[in-house]
Amino acid sequence: METDKGVDKAADKARRKNLDFILLNYPARAGEGIGFGADDNEVTLVRPDGTFEVWERMSKLEVGTRVLNGILEQWKERNVKEQTSNANVKR
């Protein structure tokens, strides 16, 4: 799969399903020690607006840690916005 087409398809899917992001991986690279059956992976984080980040080869543990840290940051940002919005309503 060409990266650009994969990114476009992933962004479209994220929009349709109202997702914050999709991780795009490349199963055809398994022979290179990346992806399925390997300890490492190389992925592309794709957002609904089409922006993306290529995460070069790293351990799957590091991929998972980066995903969870990103989710935590988004959660914190949303809670701050909600609290600010709620505080403004109560005034």
Side-chain angles (χ1 to χ4, degrees), residues 1-70:
M1 173 186 316
E2 293 177 32
T3 303
D4 292 342
K5 289 184 182 179
V7 168
D8 290 343
K9 288 180 180 180
D12 181 57
K13 186 174 188 176
R15 278 189 299 274
R16 284 185 287 111
K17 295 187 175 270
N18 197 31
L19 303 173
D20 292 325
F21 64 88
I22 288 182
L23 276 184
L24 178 62
N25 64 13
Y26 307 94
R29 297 193 58 199
E32 300 173 41
I34 295 173
F36 299 116
D39 293 331
D40 292 342
N41 210 344
E42 183 174 308
V43 298
T44 303
L45 183 139
V46 183
R47 295 176 193 88
D49 65 2
T51 59
F52 63 94
E53 300 172 24
V54 176
W55 294 358
E56 299 294 333
R57 186 178 187 150
M58 65 183 74
S59 73
K60 289 180 179 177
L61 178 62
E62 189 173 352
V63 171
T65 300
R66 288 181 71 173
V67 168
L68 290 175
N69 285 339

Side-chain angles (χ1 to χ4, degrees), residues 74-91:
Q74 283 186 337
W75 182 80
K76 286 178 183 177
E77 288 173 13
R78 287 181 183 164
N79 278 343
V80 167
K81 287 178 185 176
E82 277 184 28
Q83 289 173 359
T84 303
S85 177
N86 290 340
N88 289 336
V89 171
K90 291 179 183 176
R91 291 182 184 181

